[in-house]
Amino acid sequence: MNRKMPWALAGTLAAVILVCGCASGGGSAPPPVINVTVAPTSASVRAGSAQAFTATVTGTTNTAVTWQVNSITGGNSTVGTIDVSGNYLAPAAVPTPNSVTVSAVSAASASSSGSSPVTLLNPVPVVSSVNPNSVAVGAFSLTVTGSGFVSGAQVMFGGAALTTAFVSATQLTATGTATAAQVGSISVTVNNPNPGAVGSTTSASVQVTAVIAVSSPAAVRFLEQSTFGPTAALIAQVQSSGFTAFLNNQFAATASTYPDPASTVTSIMPTQQIFFTNAMNNPDQLRQRVAFALSQIFVTSNVTVPPQGMAPYLRTLSNDAFTNYRQIMQDVTLSPAMGLYLNMVNNDKPNTANGTHANENYARELMQLFTIGLSLINEDGSLQLDANANPIPTYSQAQVTAFGRVYTGWTYPTMPGNTLVIHNPQYFLGPMELFASNHDTGSKTLLEGTVLAAGQTGAVDLQDALDNIFNHPNVPPFVSKLLIQHLVTSNPSPAYIKRVADVFQAGVFQGIGTGSRGDMKAVIAAILLDPEARRGDDPSTTVSTDGHLREPILYILNLLRAFGATTDGAAPTNFATNMSEAPMRSGSVFNFFPPNYVIPGTTMLGPEFDLQTTAVALVRINFVNSFAFSNLGAGTSYNFNTYVNMAGNPSAMIDALNALLLHGTLSAASKTAILTAVNAVPSGTNQNLQRAETAIYLIASSSQYQVMR
């Protein structure tokens, strides 16, 4: 039967259906899907380089993103940084592993992000320079400077890999052997290793010369005698140019100087620091070394002379180092510093009425210590003896008195704006000046019967007196021996002294010099190029009696220069003072040590050993201990990186230090003992550093290093 739903019920049911239909299928739309994509989809970036990324955001009108590297907003120095615009900067060093992820996170939904994997590669190395730029056929070492170097980088020499040590991101050292086939210009490049192994985009060139001018051991010895210490660059220079060319180059170098301390300065320390910074850094090494020797012959001291006097005095010695010994005598005699130190300044003429006489201090020391000595000597430095086998005095007390009268009437330079008076106030800029009426104009009998006529001016008397001394036959051997002792050896043979004395008289040596008696360039060249000085350049020819103890100043500077130190001079000054050789502070006119000091228990001269007390010996060892295992203070820095990088092969590391510090003369027994100590260093993250420190300490503190042969 066809039954019909009542109309009212049907309407109600329809309304319910409509309402239910609205509840299940109507209302607001579902949220949109937000997608973030990053471009490029992957990248390879070299350390320190940049890569731009972009983010595309869909599903929202808010397209802002937050950039991350390895989930770190903005990144960091290890994984690289990224700015708000998506500019990624790779880290300076490639991390491990060498991949990171750059992500862009939607600002509208933190759960929506896109990413791009990034492979990090080593940088492209850049070569700026190479030192030296000339090497001879045979073994050589190079220092390459540039940027983007990493551990494991290799220096390429004409396309062939050299043994390379990583020093820093800007410096590598390398060793190799040049062959005769490579004579000419050779390109030097650098290859960085994986990840992303790549060669440098720039190169430098090295000129290979056909002949080895000087062996490495010979260059090291020569530089020990002619500078304040060998450096890798100077060793290479001497090897490639030879001794004579090096000397001529040094003769032409601009002189170091010493600024004048302000009038309020009372400490010599700033000038001492300048002494050390000049010696450490400046290229006029030979001039400075000779001036240092002269300062130990023509001694003045801050014990008496204020800093305002010492600085001009050091300038004088520096400027005169390559002139003539007669010029040095002149300038020292008229130096206000010397005038104050040895009492020539304001030296009044004798006054018989008052019972006064001229001061004789400078007159005596100029002869005894600076020029002719106490006794007559032969051309080879040996004593002349009288019929009773006694030494013959070079001068008498009467001659000392006469010279004292010569040196009367001289006073300090006149200060600007002042007028010359009999006793000018203390002032050190310029030579002393003569107050004519205060000079003794009487006749004076000098050396070898020379008589100065009465009535001469003070200036003429001075010139005649200095000429009289300078032309005395003792001067060439006496001065030559002193200079040899300071530069080369404490016990020069008579033949060595005579050869140099002959050059002193001739004024020329192998084309060097003016031909005038006392030419310093000729004398210096003769001292340094003499066969006895060069004996030992081949370690097999070393003679045990050659050389001398490294005096404190040389000991300190030799070590610092060997390891490329920089310094403000404070630490070296303090250590030198503690070792009893404070620059410019000699305790007497006889220098820190006398030239005729005999080593106890021997017949050998050893001037520097006069300082070597038990206390000073301990200070020297403590200095090396601080140098090797700690530091010398905030103002002095250096590093052992070259040798740390070699420490994986301790024997090779010791050989390299032996070449640098001892020109290959380390005894086999010493090497064995040092190698045992180095191998005993325990393993750990600092093992190689500690190995290098141990080797350096043991070599530098050894008697084989402290005595320079």
Side-chain angles (χ1 to χ4, degrees):
M1 178 174 68
N2 186 16
R3 295 181 178 177
K4 294 183 179 179
M5 183 180 297
W7 178 86
L9 180 59
T12 300
L13 181 59
V16 171
I17 291 172
L18 287 173
V19 171
C20 291
C22 289
S24 61
S28 60
V33 176
I34 298 174
N35 289 311
V36 181
T37 57
V38 174
T41 56
S42 65
S44 294
V45 184
R46 295 196 177 273
S49 298
Q51 170 69 52
F53 289 92
T54 59
T56 302
V57 182
T58 60
T60 178
T61 58
N62 183 359
T63 58
V65 295
T66 298
W67 289 100
Q68 298 179 340
V69 183
N70 282 7
S71 301
I72 303 168
T73 299
N76 59 28
S77 59
T78 301
V79 297
T81 59
I82 192 164
D83 65 17
V84 295
S85 300
N87 297 309
Y88 173 70
L89 180 63
V94 175
T96 302
N98 68 309
S99 60
V100 298
T101 301
V102 169
S103 302
V105 180
S106 171
S109 173
S111 62
S112 299
S113 65
S115 62
S116 175
V118 177
T119 300
L120 297 176
L121 309 175
N122 280 323
V124 177
V126 175
V127 175
S128 301
S129 64
V130 61
N131 188 31
N133 56 18
S134 177
V135 300
V137 169
F140 63 84
S141 60
L142 301 176
T143 298
V144 180
T145 302
S147 61
F149 304 152
V150 300
S151 180
Q154 279 199 308
V155 175
M156 309 298 291
F157 187 77
L162 300 181
T163 301
T164 305
F166 174 77
V167 178
S168 70
T170 59
Q171 188 177 95
L172 303 171
T173 60
T175 57
T177 302
T179 66
Q182 291 176 306
V183 170
S185 182
I186 301 295
S187 176
V188 175
T189 58
V190 170
N191 286 351
N192 271 346
N194 281 319
V198 65
S200 57
T201 57
T202 59
S203 65
S205 61
V206 170
Q207 191 71 25
V208 177
T209 58
V211 178
I212 299 176
V214 177
S215 69
S216 178
V220 172
R221 281 192 76 247
F222 179 78
L223 290 166
E224 287 178 334
Q225 298 163 352
S226 59
T227 73
F228 279 111
T231 64
L234 285 183
I235 293 168
Q237 181 184 341
V238 171
Q239 280 195 265
S240 62
S241 69
F243 297 139
T244 301
F246 177 82
L247 291 178
N248 285 325
N249 182 64
Q250 286 290 300
F251 289 146
T254 302
S256 294
T257 190
Y258 293 84
D260 292 310
S263 60
T264 55
V265 173
T266 58
S267 171
I268 194 64
M269 180 76 171
T271 305
Q272 291 173 318
Q273 289 182 247
I274 292 168
F275 169 84
F276 276 108
T277 56
N278 284 348
M280 275 292 303
N281 304 322
N282 291 2
D284 63 325
Q285 284 289 303
L286 179 61
R287 180 186 293 274
Q288 290 189 70
R289 183 68 188 277
V290 172
F292 179 50
L294 291 172
S295 76
Q296 296 182 285
I297 299 171
F298 293 94
V299 176
T300 60
S301 176
N302 173 245
V303 171
T304 301
V305 182
Q308 292 75 16
M310 293 305 300
Y313 187 71
L314 294 176
R315 284 201 302 270
T316 295
L317 296 183
S318 176
N319 292 334
D320 282 357
F322 298 153
T323 57
N324 188 288
Y325 204 76
R326 174 62 177 80
Q327 183 67 51
I328 298 169
M329 290 171 59
Q330 172 89 15
D331 292 343
V332 165
T333 298
L334 292 181
S335 163
M338 181 61 79
L340 172 61
Y341 189 59
L342 291 182
N343 311 116
M344 183 177 154
V345 71
N346 296 332
N347 183 19
D348 296 331
K349 66 182 180 181
N351 187 322
T352 54
N354 294 335
T356 61
H357 60 81
N359 190 289
E360 299 171 357
N361 200 12
Y362 184 68
R364 180 175 292 102
E365 308 305 1
L366 175 59
M367 292 188 289
Q368 177 182 342
L369 301 178
F370 306 165
T371 55
I372 60 177
L374 291 172
S375 303
L376 293 180
I377 55 178
N378 297 306
E379 290 184 358
D380 63 1
S382 60
L383 282 172
Q384 294 184 26
L385 304 177
D386 63 17
N388 296 317
N390 294 317
I392 304 169
T394 51
Y395 54 84
S396 66
Q397 176 55 42
Q399 290 166 323
V400 172
T401 299
F403 277 106
R405 292 168 51 219
V406 167
Y407 307 134
T408 55
W410 297 89
T411 186
Y412 288 105
T414 304
M415 288 184 178
N418 287 12
T419 302
L420 174 66
V421 294
I422 188 171
H423 289 171
N424 272 343
Q426 192 175 90
Y427 186 61
F428 295 97
L429 298 184
M432 291 192 292
E433 297 180 25
L434 180 68
F435 193 86
S437 63
N438 197 28
H439 173 67
D440 183 334
T441 57
S443 174
K444 307 164 186 79
T445 301
L446 306 182
L447 300 174
E448 301 187 297
T450 297
V451 177
L452 302 187
Q456 291 193 157
T457 67
V460 172
D461 265 4
L462 182 70
Q463 299 306 316
D464 287 349
L466 294 180
D467 285 343
N468 177 244
I469 297 171
F470 177 66
N471 288 303
H472 190 280
N474 263 30
V475 171
F478 183 83
V479 172
S480 295
K481 182 177 180 180
L482 289 176
L483 289 171
I484 291 169
Q485 285 183 310
H486 283 294
L487 297 176
V488 176
T489 181
S490 296
N491 293 275
S493 69
Y496 187 4
I497 294 171
K498 185 180 185 305
R499 288 191 293 269
V500 177
D502 287 344
V503 170
F504 189 105
Q505 295 186 67
V508 64
F509 177 78
Q510 297 181 3
I512 297 173
T514 60
S516 297
R517 175 186 172 96
D519 186 284
M520 287 295 290
K521 290 180 182 178
V523 171
I524 293 162
I527 290 171
L528 294 173
L529 299 179
D530 189 86
E532 197 164 318
R534 304 279 45 89
R535 181 172 68 193
D537 285 355
D538 176 349
S540 67
T541 65
T542 299
V543 174
S544 61
T545 55
D546 285 347
H548 57 88
L549 178 70
R550 294 180 205 261
E551 61 194 271
I553 287 172
L554 293 183
Y555 190 43
I556 292 166
L557 283 167
N558 286 179
L559 273 178
L560 291 176
R561 284 174 56 82
F563 294 96
T566 59
T567 184
D568 61 5
T573 297
N574 290 332
F575 277 104
T577 300
N578 292 338
M579 294 181 201
S580 300
E581 196 180 27
M584 297 161 257
R585 288 279 297 175
S586 172
S588 78
V589 72
F590 296 97
N591 189 29
F592 300 102
F593 43 83
N596 59 351
Y597 179 80
V598 177
I599 302 172
T602 76
T603 58
M604 293 177 57
L605 294 175
E608 297 85 355
F609 278 96
D610 190 38
L611 291 180
Q612 192 74 344
T613 64
T614 301
V616 168
L618 290 174
V619 173
R620 290 168 75 108
I621 299 301
N622 287 335
F623 160 72
V624 179
N625 184 73
S626 296
F627 176 78
F629 295 113
S630 179
N631 62 78
L632 301 182
T636 300
S637 62
Y638 47 89
N639 69 70
F640 303 148
N641 288 349
T642 297
Y643 304 94
V644 173
N645 291 329
M646 299 174 67
N649 184 342
S651 180
M653 176 187 67
I654 294 170
D655 286 342
L657 289 168
N658 179 24
L660 175 69
L661 299 176
L662 290 170
H663 44 84
T665 60
L666 185 68
S667 68
S670 294
K671 179 178 178 180
T672 298
I674 294 170
L675 186 59
T676 299
V678 169
N679 284 331
V681 173
S683 61
T685 56
N686 290 324
Q687 184 186 43
N688 283 350
L689 172 61
Q690 291 169 358
R691 282 177 165 179
E693 292 171 340
T694 299
I696 290 165
Y697 169 77
L698 291 173
I699 292 175
S701 62
S702 70
S703 60
Q704 292 180 53
Y705 180 74
Q706 295 198 55
V707 176
M708 184 174 75
R709 288 196 172 94

